[in-house]
Amino acid sequence: MARTKTLARCSACDRTEPRWMGRCPGCGAWGTMETEEVAARAPSRAPRGPTTAAPTRPALPIRDVPLDALDRAPTGLSELDRVLGGGLVPGSVTLVGGEPGAGKSTLLLQAAYALASAGRTVLYVSAEESPGQIRLRAERLGALADRLYLASETELPAVLGLIDAHKPDLLVLDSVQTIRDPEIGGGAGGVAQVRACAATLTEVAKRLGMATVLVGHVTKDGSLAGPRVLEHLVDTVCELTGERHHALRLLTATKHRFGSVGEVGCFQMTGAGLVEVDDAGRLFVGEAPDGTTGVAVTLALEGRRPLACEVQALVAPTRLVNPRRVASGLDGARLDLLVAVLERRADVSLKDRDVYASSVGGARLTEPGVDLALCLAIASSRRDSPVPRDVIVLGEVGLAGELRLVAQTERRLAEAARLGFHRALLSAAYTGDAFGLSLDRTRDLTEALAVGLTVATR
Ligand code: TYD
Ligand code: MG
């Protein structure tokens, strides 16, 4: 009989200890240690040096290795396919993460429906909702197809049984944190469980050539639960993000073995599910009429996708000793810094003013390329002088008030021209193509404000 020993494992950080403790010494969490039986290591023998074995296959010169043909199955959702580099690869395992309510189940049900309508067999296993609930949602989405099978299971062997019975081309498991392997200790959602279930399903997926999508809930601190234990196991990691109060959802891939990462899929959550937004170019630009002060438009790169984004600022008199600096959708520390640079380097007096700054449409603008647009919006509000609506503003602002070139300026300008902007205000360091735009090259903030705020009246 195999010898076993008892071990305590933390379900939060996976640390093991020889005995149970109330508090995990690894992550400090209380009550997360669980005991489990593991095989004791065989008594060590005297060292003999490493043993060699015949290789299963000889190593080949790289040019002689046959190419694996990637036969991608388009999901029918072009924005999802864009992120996946063309579609789901048979035998691949994809982890789709996102906060509860982001729309993961909706997205995957729509993809499952599209694939099933295209003649593939899809098995959608939900451990969170009953088939009746999913059917109800499918009715609403108009997602009823003959080859789309629904099941509600929480035990891994039952899921494997379903796979055996249906031999699906695509398996969707919603979610990986609610499924349990009875042979492993601990509750569903623990590290050991998540890892074991995902490993088994990955092995099955590769063996059957079945594309598999695992849904994973993101914990509050932003990590994919089962603390990143799945990321090395799966082929692709995608995340669906969006602000609770906005309809826009962005799908990005952070790891992709069958293509590049950096593509972004844009969707809008509507009453009829997620609708693809093919041209997201002006989604984050408001409808303020020409002549409105305190607004400037920049071109941000979300992943590799250029998006025009409006930055708004409101400067208002205050009686507070410490005036308020409030940023929404923008970096608060960066706002403080730029307010200081505006005061010291560009003669914009803000010391007895509150400054509110925000992005439009729920965009989160954190790259430094947004600096100049933010400065211009603030100065525009302070001086009551509008920035013309057809100007795109690009530039990072340094502490000396100097303007720096933004990465991939050419791509941004090309997109700005495509979206119908006529002028661009940017660093003098730019020497590339103008793409038909009239370029205002400026060296520092003072110059940029002079050009950006007076163009309308020139
Ligand atoms: P859901 O897909 O269940 O999110 P997740 O699986 O990521 O937790 O749905 C998220 C939200 O979307 C939910 O609050 C309801 C809303 N919703 C719509 O607005 N329209 C729709 O057609 C559907 C199906 C959901
Ligand atoms: Mg869900």
Side-chain angles (χ1 to χ4, degrees), residues 30-44:
W30 290 92
T32 51
M33 298 263 345
E34 285 158 13
T35 52
E36 59 186 62
E37 294 285 320
V38 295
R41 210 181 297 150
S44 57

Side-chain angles (χ1 to χ4, degrees), residues 106 110 137-143 268-276:
T106 308
Q110 287 180 246
R137 175 186 291 151
E139 294 267 357
R140 211 141 63 84
L141 299 173
Q268 253 177 318
M269 182 61 92
T270 68
L274 288 163
V275 176
E276 300 159 79

Side-chain angles (χ1 to χ4, degrees), residues 94-270:
T94 305
L95 176 66
V96 175
E99 288 183 5
K104 304 178 293 296
S105 305
T106 308
L107 174 68
L108 293 172
L109 189 59
Q110 287 180 246
Y113 164 71
L115 276 169
S117 320
R120 316 248 174 181
T121 306
V122 182
L123 176 60
Y124 188 109
V125 179
S126 175
E128 306 203 321
E129 293 162 294
S130 70
Q133 278 173 309
I134 303 170
R135 157 100 202 242
L136 207 64
R137 175 186 291 151
E139 294 267 357
R140 211 141 63 84
L141 299 173
L144 301 181
D146 293 339
R147 306 191 70 162
L148 172 53
Y149 293 88
L150 295 185
S152 181
E153 288 292 348
T154 51
E155 301 277 308
L156 184 64
V159 177
L160 297 179
L162 284 169
I163 295 171
D164 248 5
H166 294 279
K167 306 265 182 303
D169 298 299
L170 169 68
L171 167 76
V172 178
L173 181 64
D174 188 359
S175 71
V176 69
Q177 282 128 308
T178 42
I179 206 88
R180 234 185 125 262
D181 182 348
E183 289 186 13
I184 309 281
V191 174
Q193 280 290 353
V194 168
R195 190 180 342 212
C197 292
T200 307
L201 286 170
T202 303
E203 189 264 313
V204 173
K206 305 275 175 228
R207 182 156 46 81
L208 301 181
M210 166 186 78
T212 301
V213 178
L214 307 174
V215 173
H217 291 299
V218 171
T219 51
K220 278 196 212 80
D221 63 4
S223 58
L224 282 178
R228 305 211 163 264
V229 288
L230 296 187
E231 292 195 355
H232 71 277
L233 201 73
V234 302
D235 301 303
T236 305
V237 179
C238 295
E239 192 160 0
L240 188 64
T241 52
E243 295 276 318
R244 186 171 293 269
H245 303 295
H246 287 282
L248 190 80
R249 300 287 183 269
L250 296 180
L251 184 73
T252 44
T254 50
K255 165 182 175 177
H256 194 23
R257 281 191 185 144
F258 308 113
S260 60
V261 294
E263 282 297 352
V264 180
C266 292
F267 298 90
Q268 253 177 318
M269 182 61 92
T270 68

